[in-house]
Amino acid sequence: MLKFALRRLAGSVPLLLVISVLVFMLAKQMPGDGLGGGLNPGNKDPRYITEMREKLGYGDPLVIQYIRWLKDAATGHFGQSFLYKMPVGELIGQRLPATLLLTALSLLITYGSSLALGMIAGRNPGSRLDRLIRTAAYVTYAIPTFIAAIFAIYIFAVVLRWVPLGGTVSVVTSGGLSALGDRLVHALLPAAVLGLFNTAAYTLFLRTEIVENSGKNYVRTAVAKGISRSSVYNRHILRNSLIPLVTFLGMDIGALVGGSVVIENLFAYPGIGTLFTAAVSGRDYAVMMAVTLMTGFMIVAGNVVADVLYGWLDPRIRAGYNGGRS
């Protein structure tokens, strides 16, 4: 399994380089100096601009600029944010933990809920409980995320006051476990709304997979051999039904980090999403490119994780990468 994981990780390096090239070229096509932030936007003196461009290396060939930028990016140096007046790497380091907590909590809620509901509906197809779960999933699937966020804020934060209105921490909080609990409470509602759409989709998908796999010939053969239904369900039906969901997990790891822009702004949650929105509004290109590059890397990393989980769930995939040896 370790060799399989290392092989998949090595295979993702060319894709990461392609992503870095695309991000760099996109930045160079933007008005001004998209990779800088070192220029003072208030100083319009042509001599100052020429001197700073030469000092920052903007006059060098594109290949030299790309290699220099890639080396800096590999060590976490993405330039200077002229909007926040601080290094971009340091700025992202301040915001990233909040978004990672939001993403992890959203994934936990999404897959925990969809697995439970999908298994209940899949094992009892056509029952009243199955129809109830499917109806709820269809309705949830049709609700836009921003509409669900507004209703969730009004009901749970304004009317019931179960959770805070926004932010990541309370104004006054102690350290230790209480501080962690406070952060979890602040992230709970936006994480639930962020994963609401996926929860509905994955519940329906898992339910369909379980129902289809329950009618396969290998399941009938296992039951005919006298194997208990619970054993057949856990070892064959459920395991094979979970394999397609691994694809979604791989994509969600990166997509949720980049896709939390709407949710973080609606809940006033200061993470990468709100940082990216402010960077776009303020034309802070260095921050925009750093967040875009980071999101691309997270998606690639998620796909690597998905491939490793594929190999764990289905030994045939692992054997294929090992030349037929599991």
Side-chain angles (χ1 to χ4, degrees), residues 5 13 21 41 50 55 77 111 121 143 169 184 186 192 196 208 235 255 258-259 263 272 285 306 308:
V13 172
V21 171
T50 301
K55 179 181 178 180
H77 296 89
Y111 284 89
I143 300 176
V169 291
L184 288 174
H186 280 78
L196 193 63
T208 302
R235 294 180 58 184
I263 294 299
I272 295 297
Y285 297 135
V308 173

Side-chain angles (χ1 to χ4, degrees), residues 95-113:
R95 299 291 191 98
L96 186 58
T99 297
L100 290 179
L101 175 62
L102 179 65
T103 301
L105 194 57
S106 178
L107 288 173
L108 184 63
I109 294 173
T110 297
Y111 284 89
S113 301

Side-chain angles (χ1 to χ4, degrees), residues 117-118 121-122 124-141 200 203-205 207-208 211:
L117 296 174
N124 304 278
S127 65
R128 181 177 300 177
L129 189 57
D130 174 40
R131 292 195 296 269
L132 178 62
I133 291 175
R134 281 188 294 158
T135 301
Y138 285 130
V139 172
T140 303
Y141 192 80
T203 296
L204 295 172
F205 187 86
R207 186 259 179 198
T208 302
V211 172

Side-chain angles (χ1 to χ4, degrees), residues 36 115 131 142 216-217 248 268 299 319:
L115 284 175
R131 292 195 296 269
K216 295 291 179 65
N217 290 332
F248 300 132
I299 293 175

Side-chain angles (χ1 to χ4, degrees), residues 15-303:
L15 180 58
L16 294 177
L17 290 176
V18 171
I19 292 175
S20 68
V21 171
L22 292 176
V23 170
F24 176 81
M25 296 307 298
L26 179 63
K28 298 304 291 183
Q29 295 301 317
M30 290 181 175
D33 293 304
L35 300 177
L39 298 177
N40 180 6
N43 193 337
K44 305 299 183 181
D45 187 354
R47 289 180 299 178
Y48 163 77
I49 295 177
T50 301
E51 291 175 0
M52 288 302 298
R53 283 182 59 84
E54 183 177 352
K55 179 181 178 180
L56 295 172
Y58 292 156
D60 296 337
L62 284 179
V63 176
I64 302 299
Q65 293 187 50
Y66 168 73
I67 294 175
R68 182 170 55 241
W69 174 77
L70 186 62
K71 289 181 179 179
D72 292 339
T75 57
H77 296 89
F78 296 97
Q80 188 81 7
S81 168
F82 65 81
L83 189 62
Y84 292 90
K85 308 301 180 184
M86 63 187 301
V88 176
E90 182 180 342
L91 181 61
I92 290 178
Q94 294 177 357
R95 299 291 191 98
L96 186 58
T99 297
L100 290 179
L101 175 62
L102 179 65
T103 301
L105 194 57
S106 178
L107 288 173
L108 184 63
I109 294 173
T110 297
Y111 284 89
S113 301
S114 59
L115 284 175
L117 296 174
M119 286 189 293
I120 292 173
R123 293 198 69 173
N124 304 278
S127 65
R128 181 177 300 177
L129 189 57
D130 174 40
R131 292 195 296 269
L132 178 62
I133 291 175
R134 281 188 294 158
T135 301
Y138 285 130
V139 172
T140 303
Y141 192 80
I143 300 176
T145 301
F146 69 93
I147 296 295
I150 294 174
F151 275 98
I153 292 173
Y154 178 74
I155 295 173
F156 297 104
V158 177
V159 178
L160 299 177
R161 296 185 179 180
W162 288 355
V163 293
L165 272 172
T168 56
V169 291
S170 301
V171 177
V172 179
T173 182
S174 56
L177 293 176
S178 61
L180 177 59
D182 183 59
R183 289 184 178 275
L184 288 174
V185 170
H186 280 78
L188 182 60
L189 189 59
V193 175
L194 182 62
L196 193 63
F197 182 86
N198 287 344
T199 299
Y202 299 168
T203 296
L204 295 172
F205 187 86
L206 181 59
R207 186 259 179 198
T208 302
E209 285 291 313
I210 291 176
V211 172
E212 289 183 357
N213 285 323
S214 298
K216 295 291 179 65
N217 290 332
Y218 68 86
V219 173
R220 297 193 186 98
T221 302
V223 173
K225 288 182 177 180
I227 302 176
S228 64
R229 289 190 174 272
S230 60
S231 179
V232 172
Y233 176 79
N234 293 325
R235 294 180 58 184
H236 299 287
I237 299 176
L238 182 59
R239 185 161 183 167
N240 287 326
S241 299
L242 289 176
I243 292 177
L245 285 181
V246 174
T247 304
F248 300 132
L249 176 61
M251 293 185 293
D252 286 344
I253 291 176
L256 288 178
V257 173
S260 60
V261 175
V262 175
I263 294 299
E264 288 188 6
N265 280 278
L266 285 173
F267 284 90
Y269 190 86
I272 295 297
T274 53
L275 175 64
F276 185 76
T277 303
V280 172
S281 301
R283 300 170 67 88
D284 198 344
Y285 297 135
V287 175
M288 291 167 55
M289 293 303 100
V291 173
T292 303
L293 183 65
M294 182 195 69
T295 303
F297 280 12
M298 290 291 291
I299 293 175
V300 173
N303 287 327

